[in-house]
Amino acid sequence: MDITITPAAQKFMRRMVRFGGDGMTGFRLLVSPGGCSGLASEFTVEVAPPAGDVALEMDGFKLFLPAQSRLLLQGATVDFADTPTESGLTFRNVAGAGSCSSTASAPTAPALATVDVASIGRQRRS
């Protein structure tokens, strides 16, 4: 899979897994078409990858990606931004993404999508 996860994004994802509670082992990123930038996204902390997800391991860190997310993120860079104008995961060089920002408060680089930290969900699996 051709996807780049920056150290800042990995740090954020690891932190969410750690704060997710006992038994949580991976960060699941669900990306779908939508929004001004071409992508809408959400994430959860999971015990194991749901059926159909692929688990990518990077230095002991697990990222769970559903099939649709893998297709949309092919060739993309996942980063984490914490600036006055944006906070959360960002996606750069997304195939087919538009040229506008997904944040209403200030413009950002073309082909950029963000997911706000406050949108985190937590799901436990038995």
Side-chain angles (χ1 to χ4, degrees):
M1 164 120 214
D2 182 22
I3 182 172
T4 302
I5 310 294
T6 67
Q10 273 194 42
K11 181 178 179 181
F12 170 75
M13 292 175 187
R14 287 176 194 270
R15 183 174 290 154
M16 293 298 104
V17 170
R18 188 173 63 242
F19 293 140
D22 293 335
M24 297 299 170
T25 63
F27 186 92
R28 184 173 195 247
L29 180 58
L30 177 61
V31 179
S32 59
C36 178
S37 67
L39 292 179
S41 60
E42 55 188 70
F43 55 91
T44 57
V45 175
E46 303 284 343
V47 172
D53 281 17
V54 167
L56 302 176
E57 284 216 35
M58 296 166 262
D59 302 319
F61 168 73
K62 293 179 186 174
L63 174 62
F64 305 145
L65 292 172
Q68 183 173 351
S69 297
R70 293 190 308 268
L71 291 173
L72 292 171
L73 292 175
Q74 184 66 27
T77 298
V78 180
D79 198 2
F80 180 80
D82 189 14
T83 69
T85 59
E86 64 182 346
S87 180
L89 292 174
T90 61
F91 307 94
R92 290 182 176 73
N93 302 322
V94 177
S99 61
C100 59
S101 170
S102 65
T103 58
S105 60
T108 55
L112 182 71
T114 62
V115 59
D116 187 15
V117 176
S119 70
I120 188 168
R122 189 170 140 188
Q123 186 174 8
R124 291 192 182 265
R125 299 205 183 265
S126 302

